Amino acid sequence: MEVKLHTARTLVGRLRGAAAVHDGAATAVAIAEVRHISKNDPDIRAALADAGAVPFLAAQLTAPSAASEDAAAALLNISISAREQLMSTPGLLDALMAALRAEEYCAAHHAAATVYSLLCVEANRPVIGARRPLLAALVSLLRAAPNTRATKDALKALFAVALYPPNRATLVGLGAVQALFALIMTDGRTGIMEDATAVVAQVAGCAESLDAFMRMSGLRILVDLVEQGGASTPRTRENAAAALLNLVVAGGERAVAEVIAVGGAEEAVRELAEDVMASARGKAKAESLLRALECGGVRRREHRLADFLNGLVQSDPYISSPASASTHG
């Protein structure tokens, strides 16, 4: 470790020296070396953070330069082993927001992946969720959908943001529902569909989602995905059922009535509940949702539906997560 600490200090010293004399070329070379070594040597990442690399790397994101992509990738690599150091660096979240909004999409997708990496720590979710401009930048990147990698990184970050329930209403207010359904309707790539519907399922778990879903014909879209053959993969189908279930749990009787009003909703959910090929997760979601719809449909004693919905858990381990962050070379 002493050798790694010495190497880290030497690299950061070079970076500091180049920055002090405003030598852009030397700065770019030093940052590229930090990116390379932080990708290939996991043991040096914390040492680089301790040596002070993070502020210098973050500075490259606030003023786009030739080194911005390397700096963003290096921050991602370091974050995997030194999340606390990144979160405690003043201006780090602002720098990531700047990278997300930059025209350099390679830097943007590294920044989105770094945000996701930081969100893997539960305590960071309310802190990052309080940064509306940062969340807005993630939603904007989703709308831009520059390439598969950037889109998937933005989806992973938004999924992790939505794991903290108070953040869901914020995402709705920032237009995440519209961006997600637009992506679902226009992007047929399997991985994108699976991750987008996973985010939709999480965002659905707040009272503010129902109106936003209805404005996008979201209930119809989700029911179509739940129908046999409506989704390209079982996971997408199950995520759609999870979204409808979270929607009725959060939205109560009105949400149940709106789902019932969608033609074929109960039949589609029943098919999933009875599908012997469906996973335990999918069948559990469908069975709970079907009971909620049946309670609302027969309009028996008014408290029956409310009691049933109160007994369901909104946040549930059966909702699948996008893949974990990885280093970006």
Side-chain angles (χ1 to χ4, degrees):
M1 284 305 298
E2 285 299 323
V3 173
K4 295 183 186 300
L5 287 171
H6 176 73
T7 301
R9 290 171 184 151
T10 299
L11 278 173
V12 175
R14 288 173 53 194
L15 186 55
R16 183 181 290 111
V21 297
H22 305 289
D23 187 336
T27 298
V29 170
I31 290 174
E33 289 189 39
V34 172
R35 175 183 183 175
H36 177 76
I37 198 169
S38 63
K39 176 190 176 185
N40 295 307
D41 186 356
D43 293 334
I44 206 170
R45 294 169 187 161
L48 286 166
D50 291 339
V54 175
F56 289 102
L57 296 172
Q60 297 298 314
L61 305 185
T62 57
S65 67
S68 294
E69 181 186 347
D70 284 339
L75 283 171
L76 170 59
N77 297 339
I78 293 170
S79 76
I80 295 170
S81 302
R83 295 184 175 100
E84 185 176 346
Q85 289 96 320
L86 263 72
M87 284 296 292
S88 63
T89 300
L92 185 276
L93 294 180
D94 290 334
L96 291 174
M97 180 191 68
L100 288 169
R101 293 191 178 280
E103 294 182 1
E104 174 50 69
Y105 286 124
C106 289
H109 83 71
H110 292 313
T114 304
V115 173
Y116 173 68
S117 175
L118 297 174
L119 286 162
C120 290
V121 178
E122 188 173 350
N124 292 340
R125 293 169 191 165
V127 178
I128 291 175
R131 298 293 190 102
R132 287 180 63 92
L134 177 59
L135 302 190
L138 285 170
V139 174
S140 295
L141 182 59
L142 198 62
R143 287 197 185 99
N147 54 56
T148 300
R149 197 167 186 178
T151 301
K152 287 182 70 67
D153 285 331
L155 287 169
K156 288 189 294 185
L158 289 169
F159 180 91
V161 168
L163 287 174
Y164 182 63
N167 290 342
R168 296 167 188 166
T170 302
L171 290 175
V172 172
L174 292 172
V177 171
Q178 292 91 322
L180 288 163
F181 277 112
L183 192 63
I184 289 169
M185 291 301 294
T186 59
D187 196 316
R189 291 171 290 183
T190 297
I192 299 295
M193 286 288 287
E194 290 181 343
D195 287 355
T197 50
V199 181
V200 166
Q202 285 293 342
V203 175
C206 69
E208 294 81 359
S209 285
L210 180 59
D211 287 335
F213 276 48
M214 292 178 64
R215 284 194 294 271
M216 293 297 295
S217 300
L219 303 186
R220 176 74 268 171
I221 294 169
L222 291 172
V223 169
D224 287 346
L225 290 173
V226 172
E227 287 180 351
Q228 184 70 42
S232 59
T233 68
R235 183 183 170 204
T236 298
R237 186 186 186 195
E238 293 165 6
N239 285 343
L244 290 169
L245 178 59
N246 285 347
L247 202 64
V248 302
V249 171
E253 295 183 21
R254 179 180 167 227
V256 171
E258 294 292 354
V259 174
I260 291 172
V262 177
E266 288 189 65
E267 293 81 356
V269 175
R270 184 174 289 105
E271 284 183 356
L272 177 56
E274 297 174 353
D275 189 345
V276 296
M277 300 301 292
S279 69
R281 169 191 183 262
K283 290 174 70 68
K285 291 296 183 186
E287 288 165 1
S288 295
L289 178 56
L290 186 59
R291 288 197 298 274
L293 298 182
E294 289 173 343
C295 287
V298 298
R299 297 188 180 279
R300 293 182 181 175
R301 287 183 303 170
E302 190 170 307
H303 69 268
R304 179 184 175 188
L305 176 59
D307 288 346
F308 175 73
L309 293 177
N310 287 336
L312 293 176
V313 178
Q314 291 188 44
S315 183
D316 168 334
Y318 281 116
I319 294 181
S320 56
S321 166
S324 299
S326 60
T327 60
H328 285 204

